[in-house]
Amino acid sequence: MEELAEVIAIENGNISLVTQIKSSCNSCSQVSTCASGQVAKAFPHKKSTFILSLSALSKNQTLQVGDCVVLTLPEVDVLRSAWQVYLLPIIGLLSFSALGQWLKIQAILNHELMALGIGLVGGYLGYRLAKHLQNHADYHKRLQPKILRVLPKPVVVDVKPID
């Protein structure tokens, strides 16, 4: 995954960057009739500011304020994170619900609400597992953007009219 960002400050070993938040609603053909499109039109495009350490910069790259850079995130880490956050609670909910239903069928539980409660506990445990996996320090390092390349500045040509 790549994103363009502009360097707005370099100080104390940190690089401050700003990126344009994009909405896919502006390019859709249903933008005039869709509620999400109307909301996207109502609010102006905002910018997101964040700070990276100078370690995100390769050894052979130099930066100045005003430079445009290409940021990258490993797609495999983003997909792994999304999988954990979305699917682990659902898997916990479904598997514990099946366990609760089986216990109800076996007459170990005497009420459907107890089976439902077991399913909810499974969903919560899946959520807690996902949260635990997301909070590891090495995982945070893998999800930090890296500067892939610094884009060259455009050449300014001063054209004078011929007399």
Side-chain angles (χ1 to χ4, degrees), residues 25-91:
C25 288
N26 293 333
S27 61
C28 178
S29 62
Q30 300 295 322
V31 71
S32 60
T33 59
C34 174
S36 296
Q38 297 302 316
V39 171
K41 277 185 184 179
F43 294 104
H45 296 291
K46 296 183 180 181
K47 295 184 178 188
S48 176
T49 305
F50 58 97
I51 298 172
L52 290 178
S53 69
L54 282 175
S55 64
L57 191 62
S58 298
K59 295 183 189 306
N60 58 354
Q61 294 175 328
T62 58
L63 278 182
Q64 297 176 351
V65 174
D67 283 348
C68 191
V69 297
V70 177
L71 301 175
T72 184
L73 269 177
E75 287 185 27
V76 68
D77 292 327
V78 174
L79 290 174
R80 184 180 298 129
S81 179
W83 180 86
Q84 290 172 353
V85 168
Y86 290 112
L87 289 182
L88 285 178
I90 292 173
I91 290 171

Side-chain angles (χ1 to χ4, degrees), residues 107-128:
I108 296 171
L109 299 177
N110 57 3
H111 202 278
E112 283 280 327
L113 286 177
M114 295 174 91
L116 178 66
I118 290 175
L120 292 175
V121 167
Y124 178 73
L125 291 175
Y127 158 75
R128 295 298 298 178

